[in-house]
Amino acid sequence: FDVRGLGEYPQNCKRTWMKLQSQELGMNYLSGVKFCVFGLGDSTYAQFCYAAAGFDVRLGELGAHRLLQRGIGDDRDEDRYYTGWDNWLPELWKVLGAPQLPLSRDVPAACYRVTTSPGKVESPPVPDDDIVPPGATRLTLRTNKLLTPDDKAYDRDIRHYEFEI
């Protein structure tokens, strides 16, 4: 969970959070469900990782089985949220029984080559339909919504994408 402002729940999970608050849900409503939570936030805010803590507690209250203690990524750490993530991720792999991948932030080599050709935007030399990396599936982009303020005060461009599958 990546918290915004004063601990608000991310937009994409507000409805789920409200449904989980229903008093009609029994204490075994989520029995058989396994979960773990990693929260992102900035510890200078009073409601630091509030949404992550809320989900972590509520899922447990509804009978879900917590696989791992809640992880926290603090934007104020030296490596930003990576400090907490790099400590938490190996434990996640362990509880999932998955092989641990090396912790690396190196960008992998491209699986395709880009060459430029003369042309105009209105009539490119290669149709867009031909630009698909090997083994990839073309998806239609349905939504491209900017989530961060568009006033240049925020140092990252965070977007919500929806694709037609």
Side-chain angles (χ1 to χ4, degrees), residues 6-164:
L6 299 175
E8 298 103 38
Y9 282 75
Q11 189 65 37
N12 62 352
C13 73
K14 283 182 181 180
R15 288 176 54 191
T16 302
W17 175 249
M18 295 310 294
K19 288 180 181 182
L20 289 174
Q21 297 310 299
S22 171
Q23 297 303 313
E24 297 173 11
L25 302 178
M27 298 313 269
N28 292 320
Y29 180 72
L30 294 177
S31 67
V33 172
K34 299 174 185 176
F35 77 98
C36 50
V37 172
F38 187 86
L40 300 172
D42 183 326
S43 60
T44 59
Y45 288 87
Q47 301 288 338
F48 175 57
C49 287
Y50 185 76
F55 266 91
D56 188 47
V57 169
R58 186 62 179 154
L59 293 172
E61 289 174 348
L62 294 173
H65 175 70
R66 181 180 292 106
L67 294 175
L68 187 61
Q69 289 298 316
R70 180 174 64 246
I72 299 295
D74 187 352
D75 210 34
R76 292 294 166 183
D77 284 344
E78 184 175 334
D79 287 335
R80 299 181 95 158
Y81 71 87
Y82 285 113
T83 304
W85 178 252
D86 289 349
N87 291 328
W88 189 79
L89 187 59
E91 296 301 315
L92 175 64
W93 295 135
K94 194 181 301 178
V95 300
L96 294 177
Q100 291 193 23
L101 301 175
L103 292 174
S104 173
R105 292 187 208 111
D106 296 334
V107 176
C111 62
Y112 54 90
R113 182 172 42 91
V114 175
T115 56
T116 58
S117 299
K120 297 180 180 177
V121 172
E122 305 81 38
S123 58
V126 178
D128 289 345
D129 293 341
D130 294 341
I131 305 174
V132 179
T137 302
R138 177 176 299 285
L139 299 176
T140 302
L141 178 65
R142 291 178 39 208
T143 303
N144 177 358
K145 180 179 177 187
L146 181 65
L147 299 178
T148 50
D150 195 21
D151 60 6
K152 306 293 184 217
Y154 200 74
D155 65 343
R156 293 177 225 155
D157 181 86
I158 299 176
R159 296 182 173 270
H160 171 81
Y161 296 109
E162 292 180 12
F163 294 92
E164 188 172 321

